């Protein structure tokens, strides 16, 4: 399946902005919750992403990010 390259070009700014929002939410949660229990991190991360406007977000992505933050996995 291929699309019109100009459509991809048009989408780049929106995707870039979404990724910036996501990164801000993850970074803030990492600083404040690294090493804490998964459930605590998961809730804080979901709230941070919502506050940043990084929605919709696949639950599996939030789960994995929360797991990494909870474990303190190297970024």
């Amino acid at each position: 399946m291929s699309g019109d390259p100009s459509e991809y070009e048009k989408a780049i700014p929106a995707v870039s902005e979404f990724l910036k929002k996501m990164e801000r939410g993850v970074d803030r949660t990492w600083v404040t919750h690294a090493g804490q229990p998964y459930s605590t991190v998961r809730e804080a991360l979901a709230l941070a992403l919502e506050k940043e406007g990084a929605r919709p977000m696949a639950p599996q992505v939030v789960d994995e990010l929360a797991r990494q933050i909870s474990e303190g996995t190297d970024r």
Side-chain angles (χ1 to χ4, degrees):
M1 180 173 156
S2 64
D4 180 358
S6 67
E7 293 300 316
Y8 293 113
E9 294 293 325
K10 292 176 189 174
I12 288 174
V15 171
S16 179
E17 186 58 33
F18 179 83
L19 291 174
K20 287 177 188 175
K21 291 175 182 179
M22 183 179 161
E23 184 175 23
R24 285 192 301 262
V26 170
D27 286 348
R28 186 169 64 242
T29 305
W30 199 285
V31 168
T32 59
H33 289 80
Q36 294 187 22
Y38 170 83
S39 59
T40 302
V41 173
R42 175 72 168 73
E43 183 177 342
L45 179 59
L47 290 172
L49 292 169
E50 186 173 330
K51 184 175 181 176
E52 289 294 337
R55 290 285 189 195
M57 179 71 65
Q60 298 87 345
V61 172
V62 179
D63 292 344
E64 177 59 18
L65 289 168
R67 183 192 64 76
Q68 290 178 21
I69 294 168
S70 177
E71 292 177 355
T73 305
D74 288 339
R75 299 169 71 176

